[in-house]
Amino acid sequence: MKRDLAAPGDPAIPTPGTDTAALVVRKPALRYGRAALACLGVGIGLVLLTGLLGPSAAQPPLPGAPGWLPPYHAGTEPSAALVTGLLLGSALIGAVGLGLAILALRAGWAPNPRRLTVAGGAAAVAVVLVPPMGSADHLVYAAYGRLAATGGNPYHDTAQDLAARGDPVGLAVEAPWQDTPSVYGPVATAEQWLAARIGGTSPHTTVLVLTLIGALAFVATGLLLQRAVAERAARGGDAASADRARSRVALLWLLNPLLLFVGVNAGHADTVAVAFAVAALVAVRRSAALAGVLVGLACAAKISLGLYVLALLWGLRHRRRDMGVLLGGALVVGALTYVPLGTQAFAQMRENSKLVSLAMPLRLTVKPLESALGSDHARTLIGLIGWLSLALVAWLLAPVVARAASRGPLGGDPVTRDAAGAAALLTVAWLLTAPYSLPWYDVAAWAPVVLLAATATDGLLLARTTLLVCAYVPGRAIPLPDAVDGFARTLRGTVGPYAGIALLLGAVWLGLRARRGTRVGS
């Protein structure tokens, strides 16, 4: 008779003398775990394969290559259908792997966290060895950096100004974004300036520096998250719990194919901003002042990270003096970084606040509201609906997230636990309800979620990220073959918003069920 046996010393299988119930639980856990690793590997591998194929509907050309520096590609001119299929496959198979990893960890799977961490670091390096895909934002970042490095003002000037004087960096920016000033904060602009100083007139080298900085920030974030969960478990003397918590971080952050694609390979500024926010979460228990400075830097990279300020204040709610210290530190950093730029730094942010993404549920309200109220009033009302929806969803999900925080590895550290729980709650609610949202925004939620115990919130976030990644492939705003164009429009404009409504209803159902249970328990 065939038996499901593990190798001697396999941490996922109990040693002799362990009760048989644990053995029954851990057999499927080992199978799920192995399947999860296989799916995650395939998901990451498909991203690498798509990148190696060369410029395509997913990958803008990257001129100015010196011939030996990465990123590398074979220049095979793949079809739009092929790269769309490969990236969809990566997202869907990767999502299955993440789901299996969550199930396996809950069932008792205990992989080696050190090996997973090394593999995650290698994966982050690997995805920047191929050109960025999924959008053309990295070329706009390079242009903003070039403007800053050559005496221009990225909050007023645009890539078009660079292109007008024949600058290769400006000429590389694709048409839809050539006349768009920067919406990013001064810390992100400083990163772009540094990349431009190194890259000079080469878009290739400038983008390489940007993606390397993003990869370093991504790995550093993973290590900070692991430190947070390991420190608490170590203080409790539970090495096994520490390893499980570190494995959860490694699997859902460092080895997450969705984040490696949209956060690291694509080189989005969100990854760097979140690194500062996570550093603030880790620091807040010891130093409110340092946490304030760090979260201030996060907001000075991307203003939406202000949600972390609220989360940190919630964590410190029983330490009123420290609340003032944290808020003061964040405001000082904000003043030092934003005031020299003047109000122009917020001009494009105000314009962006009126945008509505095609794949978000509130997009379905745009036409009827514009017909009734006119464009300006309609966009203002949609923004208000988004904020009210965020508050409602956060209120509903609060018991779910609070339970996940209390049962997680930070359970005995009330400040960090409550701050991480609040950050997860606010960012997940924001992603589900915002009028304008894109797949790389999700890095802000995955970071605090991995610090909590597994709950249905994991599933909501996984479904949301998978949906948005699929909705925005292949990624470039260029003419596509009719079949690919029709598929992409349907996925983004029809499936996206209605699936988003389903996720919202799922969040409401989970919240109501949790609140009914809380009332019954009380």
Side-chain angles (χ1 to χ4, degrees):
M1 182 174 66
K2 184 177 179 181
R3 301 177 63 190
D4 188 1
L5 298 175
D10 192 322
I13 296 298
T15 56
T18 308
D19 81 40
T20 55
L23 182 61
V24 171
V25 170
R26 294 190 182 188
K27 278 184 176 179
L30 182 59
R31 289 196 292 269
Y32 289 153
R34 288 172 174 168
L37 292 176
C39 289
L40 295 178
V42 170
I44 296 167
L46 288 176
V47 171
L48 296 174
L49 174 60
T50 309
L52 286 171
L53 292 176
S56 65
Q59 181 189 130
L62 203 56
W68 55 276
L69 279 177
Y72 307 112
H73 66 80
T76 62
E77 299 183 0
S79 68
L82 175 61
V83 296
T84 300
L86 289 172
L87 292 176
L88 284 174
S90 169
L92 294 172
I93 295 170
V96 170
L98 293 168
L100 287 171
I102 292 168
L103 289 174
L105 290 171
R106 292 186 69 172
W109 183 42
N112 185 313
R114 187 182 299 275
R115 292 177 183 173
L116 294 176
T117 301
V118 172
V125 172
V127 296
V128 300
L129 295 180
V130 298
M133 297 172 288
S135 82
D137 285 9
H138 52 282
L139 296 174
V140 188
Y141 294 173
Y144 295 151
R146 182 68 175 159
L147 283 166
T150 55
N153 180 353
Y155 299 104
H156 178 270
D157 304 326
T158 67
Q160 207 165 44
D161 297 304
L162 289 173
R165 59 178 191 250
D167 192 296
V169 178
L171 292 169
V173 176
E174 300 195 327
W177 319 118
Q178 284 181 343
D179 60 351
T180 305
S182 177
V183 70
Y184 301 99
V187 168
T189 300
E191 175 203 357
Q192 293 155 5
W193 170 87
L194 175 63
R197 292 287 294 177
I198 296 171
T201 59
S202 168
H204 181 280
T205 305
T206 304
V207 168
L208 171 63
V209 175
L210 287 169
T211 55
L212 285 174
I213 293 172
L216 287 172
F218 183 79
V219 173
T221 301
L223 296 176
L224 283 170
L225 292 167
Q226 288 195 335
R227 177 180 176 181
V229 297
E231 274 189 353
R232 172 57 203 158
R235 286 197 301 272
D238 189 349
S241 293
D243 283 350
R244 284 194 296 272
R246 290 176 58 211
S247 294
R248 176 173 162 85
V249 170
L251 289 162
L252 301 190
W253 180 265
L254 290 169
L255 283 169
N256 187 325
L258 303 171
L259 300 186
L260 287 166
F261 171 42
V262 299
V264 184
N265 168 262
H268 287 287
D270 303 67
T271 307
V272 174
V274 168
F276 286 114
V278 168
L281 279 179
V282 174
V284 68
R285 182 176 61 86
R286 292 189 176 92
S287 172
L290 177 58
V293 169
L294 290 167
V295 79
L297 291 170
C299 295
K302 195 160 186 186
I303 198 67
S304 56
L305 273 293
L307 293 172
Y308 275 75
V309 177
L310 299 178
L312 291 163
L313 290 173
W314 177 255
L316 291 170
R317 67 193 182 279
H318 299 304
R319 292 159 48 175
R320 300 297 176 86
R321 181 179 176 277
D322 283 345
M323 289 178 69
V325 170
L326 181 135
L327 192 57
L331 289 174
V332 167
V333 171
L336 291 174
T337 53
Y338 277 104
V339 168
L341 301 175
T343 58
Q344 60 187 350
F346 300 97
Q348 193 60 31
M349 292 183 196
R350 287 193 294 270
E351 289 300 312
N352 275 23
S353 68
K354 303 174 185 177
L355 299 177
V356 181
S357 298
L358 285 173
M360 294 304 291
L362 282 172
R363 200 267 302 169
L364 300 174
T365 69
V366 172
K367 283 188 178 180
L369 288 178
E370 285 187 339
S371 298
L373 303 174
S375 179
D376 286 345
H377 289 96
R379 297 299 174 122
T380 300
L381 179 58
I382 289 169
L384 178 61
I385 293 171
W387 285 112
L388 292 174
S389 300
L390 186 158
L392 176 61
V393 171
W395 177 77
L396 286 168
L397 288 178
V400 179
V401 175
R403 186 164 58 249
S406 63
R407 294 177 179 176
L410 304 175
D413 175 3
V415 172
T416 310
R417 176 197 67 205
D418 291 351
L425 177 65
L426 292 172
T427 52
V428 169
W430 170 60
L431 292 175
L432 293 174
T433 59
Y436 187 75
S437 190
L438 295 167
W440 40 93
Y441 293 8
D442 291 36
V443 295
W446 279 100
V449 163
V450 303
L451 293 175
L452 313 182
T455 64
T457 310
D458 292 358
L460 280 177
L461 181 56
L462 176 56
R464 141 74 202 203
T465 308
T466 306
L467 171 65
L468 266 286
V469 170
C470 291
Y472 281 90
V473 297
R476 289 177 68 194
I478 59 172
L480 297 171
D482 290 344
V484 177
D485 186 61
F487 176 80
R489 287 178 183 275
T490 300
L491 193 55
R492 190 175 307 167
T494 303
V495 175
Y498 284 105
I501 291 173
L503 289 176
L504 275 173
L505 292 175
V508 169
W509 179 78
L510 286 170
L512 290 174
R513 188 179 70 166
R515 288 192 168 275
R516 281 197 299 270
T518 301
R519 285 199 297 271
V520 170
S522 61

